Amino acid sequence: MTTNHLALSGRVLRSRAFDSPAGIHHTVLQLEHKSLRVEADMQRHVYCVIQVILSGPRFDSVTEKLKAGVDIQVSGFIALQQNRNGQSRLVLHAENVELKN
């Protein structure tokens, strides 16, 4: 069995929604993460921006609240996504999203 699970908190930078040709509703977020971690007994500032994809009706109740500036915690699995230019990047496919106050 292989493991593929990522949990990350951060702030939504932007979001957009669309329906796929198959009729599945998707919301795509840019999530900005900032934290302070300890690595090799030293404090390290961590920063990343990752694309998060929410697919299907299970997220309908939360997607309209996911605007720029909203803090969330998201968990799911990561996958490689290739754009039209052939460039690849890791994206997080959400399985759970929680709004943070």
Side-chain angles (χ1 to χ4, degrees), residues 30-60:
Q30 290 293 324
L31 183 68
E32 177 185 52
H33 169 83
K34 297 177 185 178
S35 62
L36 188 60
R37 305 294 299 181
V38 176
E39 180 180 36
D41 297 325
M42 301 284 291
Q43 285 192 339
R44 177 181 178 169
H45 290 274
V46 178
Y47 178 82
C48 68
V49 175
I50 190 168
Q51 183 171 297
V52 180
I53 302 173
L54 293 75
S55 299
R58 66 187 279 181
F59 296 109
D60 285 351

Side-chain angles (χ1 to χ4, degrees), residues 12 15 17 25-29 52-68 70-74 94-100:
V12 176
S15 67
H25 186 73
H26 300 278
T27 300
V28 179
L29 310 173
V52 180
I53 302 173
L54 293 75
S55 299
R58 66 187 279 181
F59 296 109
D60 285 351
S61 63
V62 72
T63 54
E64 66 183 42
K65 298 173 186 165
L66 298 176
K67 305 292 183 203
V70 173
D71 292 323
I72 64 171
Q73 180 166 328
V74 60
E95 294 174 322
N96 187 52
V97 176
E98 296 177 30
L99 297 172
K100 295 295 185 184

